[in-house]
């Protein structure tokens, strides 16, 4: 059976498929030969980011590091105030990981970087930080 169908992404600001609207109707109208294939641009999103794009920087491994968010044309950081498990889970899911292991204060931001997100309010099951707080208007 199909899990989602009739996907409609109306904004170029969307960062994950779950931000797009879909039909809740599950159907057997598609066969196994109807599966979607996607070819992405060779440029990573970090080379041409948009508001709400996140990345991990200066970690020892690719799945860890200082959490940065792109807002209003520049990269900035996320404040630790109220950054709890739900926000960490949302960040990891947005980056394509299943969940988070830990969130720490061990990697300070660059003094020139703005703190774009603060006092995040994420609900259980949130899969994108922009669902917790939007980039501030510049």
């Amino acid at each position: 059976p199909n899990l989602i169908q009739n996907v409609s992404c109306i904004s170029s600001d969307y960062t994950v498929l779950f931000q797009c609207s879909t039909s809740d109707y599950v159907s057997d109208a598609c066969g196994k030969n109807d599966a979607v294939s996607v070819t992405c641009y060779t440029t990573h999103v970090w080379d041409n980011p948009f508001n709400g794009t996140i990345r991990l920087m200066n970690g020892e491994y690719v799945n860890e590091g200082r959490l940065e968010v792109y807002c209003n044309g520049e990269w900035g950081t996320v404040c630790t105030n109220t950054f709890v498990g739900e926000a960490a889970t949302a960040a990891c899911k947005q980056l394509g990981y299943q969940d988070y292991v830990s969130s720490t204060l061990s990697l300070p931001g660059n003094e020139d970087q703005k703190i774009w997100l603060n006092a995040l309010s994420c609900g259980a099951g949130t899969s994108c930080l922009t669902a917790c707080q939007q980039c501030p208007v510049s």
Side-chain angles (χ1 to χ4, degrees):
N2 301 319
L3 297 178
I4 60 173
Q5 67 179 25
N6 299 327
V7 178
S8 176
C9 300
I10 59 173
S11 174
S12 62
D13 289 334
Y14 291 167
T15 56
V16 293
L17 187 61
F18 294 112
Q19 290 176 290
C20 303
S21 64
T22 62
S23 169
D24 291 334
Y25 178 73
V26 178
S27 161
D28 288 325
C30 292
K32 64 181 181 179
N33 293 328
D34 296 323
V36 170
S37 174
V38 175
T39 303
C40 299
Y41 289 108
T42 56
T43 304
H44 288 95
V45 69
W46 299 279
D47 296 334
N48 189 21
F50 46 87
N51 277 349
T53 301
I54 62 172
R55 66 182 182 184
L56 298 173
M57 295 298 294
N58 299 330
E60 189 172 339
Y61 302 101
V62 296
N63 65 330
E64 66 181 22
R66 180 182 59 251
L67 180 61
E68 294 185 353
V69 62
Y70 190 83
C71 292
N72 302 316
E74 62 184 298
W75 288 100
T77 59
V78 178
C79 184
T80 60
N81 293 346
T82 70
F83 192 86
V84 294
E86 290 87 359
T89 296
C92 289
K93 286 184 176 183
Q94 183 175 343
L95 290 166
Y97 298 103
Q98 180 179 359
D99 206 343
Y100 82 105
V101 175
S102 67
S103 62
T104 64
L105 308 176
S106 61
L107 295 170
N110 181 326
E111 289 183 13
D112 295 332
Q113 284 182 309
K114 293 180 180 179
I115 296 175
W116 283 124
L117 301 181
N118 185 15
L120 293 168
S121 178
C122 299
T126 303
S127 60
C128 186
L129 278 187
T130 55
C132 307
Q133 183 181 5
Q134 296 289 319
C135 288
V137 177
S138 57

